[in-house]
Amino acid sequence: MTIRIARPSDAAILAAISIEVWLGTYIRRGVNAFFADYALSEFTAARFFALLENPKEHIWVSENEDGLDGFIRVSEGQVAPIADCSTTEISTLYVQPRHHGKGIGFQLLKLGLAFARQSGSTSVWLTTNSENAPAIGFYLRQGFEKVGTTDFRIQDQAYRNDVFKRVL
């Protein structure tokens, strides 16, 4: 496993991993048009290319001999949905399910936290689906604490997310 800064040429791969992980994590009983439309419009190469060009967005990827298997995105200047959080968000930490348990998420998170600390942030925050027990357990084991809840919205529908914070 190699961890490196994401390149513009990774944009389509980041979109594909995002679709795979997002659908696999949050869609439990079958993909309907509502969620398919969201995933296909949200997770695009063009959006990732724009993120990679934004100086407040930082993405690192995990790469194995065949290609990318995960990534972390750290966003600066983000207002948290809960008071007393910094403006540094762990926006995304996705690892392909077949690569879970190999330490990839841990290594990506470690790098993201080190970057936030070096950038002067005193803490980071993130959100995760309130029903995503594996992710919640992972973040708690990494020293995050639940500080509240918020809603993730797709059009007029709301989905409960937990907000976590970690002091650096």
Side-chain angles (χ1 to χ4, degrees):
M1 165 183 55
T2 301
I3 296 179
R4 62 170 173 79
I5 294 172
R7 301 183 285 250
S9 60
D10 296 325
I13 302 166
L14 295 170
I17 291 172
S18 296
I19 290 169
E20 176 187 9
V21 173
W22 191 85
L23 288 174
T25 301
Y26 298 108
I27 307 304
R28 292 179 174 73
R29 297 188 326 218
V31 179
N32 62 32
F34 179 76
F35 291 116
D37 289 345
Y38 173 80
L40 292 173
S41 66
E42 183 68 21
F43 305 120
T44 66
R47 283 188 183 234
F48 276 99
F49 187 80
L51 288 171
L52 290 165
E53 295 294 312
N54 184 334
K56 294 196 175 280
E57 298 288 344
H58 311 278
I59 301 175
W60 293 269
V61 298
S62 170
E63 186 171 34
N64 63 45
E65 59 276 359
D66 293 326
L68 304 185
D69 50 30
F71 71 94
I72 187 169
R73 176 177 149 218
V74 178
S75 303
E76 297 179 291
Q78 299 299 307
V79 177
I82 303 295
D84 297 323
C85 289
S86 73
T87 58
T88 304
E89 178 186 12
I90 304 291
S91 304
T92 310
L93 176 55
Y94 282 168
V95 175
Q96 289 181 297
R98 68 185 144 281
H99 295 290
H100 286 182
K102 297 179 181 178
I104 295 168
F106 174 78
Q107 291 300 323
L108 288 167
L109 181 60
K110 184 175 157 184
L111 187 146
L113 295 174
F115 171 80
R117 190 177 305 110
Q118 291 167 357
S119 296
S121 186
T122 58
S123 67
V124 297
W125 64 275
L126 60 84
T127 63
T128 191
N129 184 293
S130 297
E131 296 176 10
N132 190 351
I136 291 168
F138 173 78
Y139 292 123
L140 291 173
R141 287 190 303 276
Q142 305 315 312
F144 283 81
E145 91 176 274
K146 181 179 173 184
V147 293
T149 59
T150 190
D151 286 330
F152 170 71
R153 301 194 72 79
I154 302 175
Q155 297 176 16
D156 63 344
Q157 297 192 30
Y159 304 91
R160 182 65 52 181
N161 274 5
D162 293 339
V163 181
F164 292 88
K165 175 182 174 180
R166 174 156 176 208
V167 175
L168 301 175

